[in-house]
Amino acid sequence: MLDKNKKQQIINKFRVHANDTGSTQVQIAILTEEIKQLSDHLKLHKHDHSSRRGLLKKVGERRRLLKYLQKENEEQFKDLAAKLKLKIAKRMIEIEEEEQKKLEEAMKDPEEEEEEEEVEEVQEEE
């Protein structure tokens, strides 16, 4: 459980507007911090099954909120995932880079590709 001061710090950091206390971004940030604390607790207390169940519920709730945010506002989702250093942010960055490479390859002129292949063949022969 987060103490009052820590929770207020998270709210101030992730709020969307001045009076925001419960937006999706704030809820996800709070859940992330609670998940971190529960994970640390479970590293010490491996047989605490009730806390493990609570952790799984929080992870599921955060996943649902992340899906909702991604569907509603892709840009805010990316920003939040990057700020919280979530694994999904790393995967999204990798996917975007792959898509960018595919686009660049598709945009290349076919004549340029033939010239590049000829240059490579000449280099291999030498």
Side-chain angles (χ1 to χ4, degrees):
M1 188 72 181
L2 292 175
D3 65 340
K4 205 172 193 179
N5 293 332
K6 181 71 173 170
K7 199 172 200 177
Q8 192 60 47
Q9 288 174 350
I10 293 170
I11 290 170
N12 290 338
K13 185 175 180 181
F14 292 98
R15 65 183 177 194
V16 179
H17 53 81
N19 296 326
D20 181 17
T21 57
S23 67
T24 308
Q25 292 90 325
V26 171
Q27 290 180 52
I28 292 169
I30 290 171
L31 282 169
T32 299
E33 186 61 33
E34 290 175 345
I35 288 168
K36 286 178 187 174
Q37 286 185 356
L38 275 173
S39 296
D40 291 342
H41 170 78
L42 286 170
K43 287 176 185 173
L44 295 174
H45 307 282
K46 295 181 188 331
H47 299 291
D48 188 354
H49 298 295
S50 59
S51 292
R52 186 174 313 278
R53 182 172 185 264
L55 172 66
L56 293 174
K57 288 179 94 173
K58 289 180 187 300
V59 169
E61 180 66 22
R62 183 179 69 175
R63 184 182 301 127
R64 282 189 294 276
L65 287 168
L66 282 167
K67 282 183 183 179
Y68 169 78
L69 185 60
Q70 184 178 17
K71 183 175 69 175
E72 292 297 314
N73 193 333
E74 184 83 22
E75 194 60 39
Q76 286 182 354
F77 170 77
K78 289 178 186 177
D79 291 342
L80 182 67
K83 281 182 185 178
L84 293 173
K85 299 175 185 168
L86 300 178
K87 288 181 184 178
I88 195 165
K90 294 176 189 173
R91 281 188 240 141
M92 288 181 61
I93 291 169
E94 291 171 359
I95 290 169
E96 286 179 2
E97 289 174 354
E98 290 173 6
E99 290 175 356
Q100 186 66 28
K101 287 179 184 177
K102 288 178 184 177
L103 283 173
E104 289 174 3
E105 289 175 6
M107 296 298 288
K108 278 188 177 179
D109 192 22
E111 294 175 7
E112 290 177 14
E113 289 179 14
E114 292 174 7
E115 291 173 6
E116 289 176 6
E117 290 173 5
E118 291 174 4
V119 169
E120 290 174 5
E121 289 174 5
V122 171
Q123 290 175 351
E124 288 175 3
E125 291 175 0
E126 294 175 356

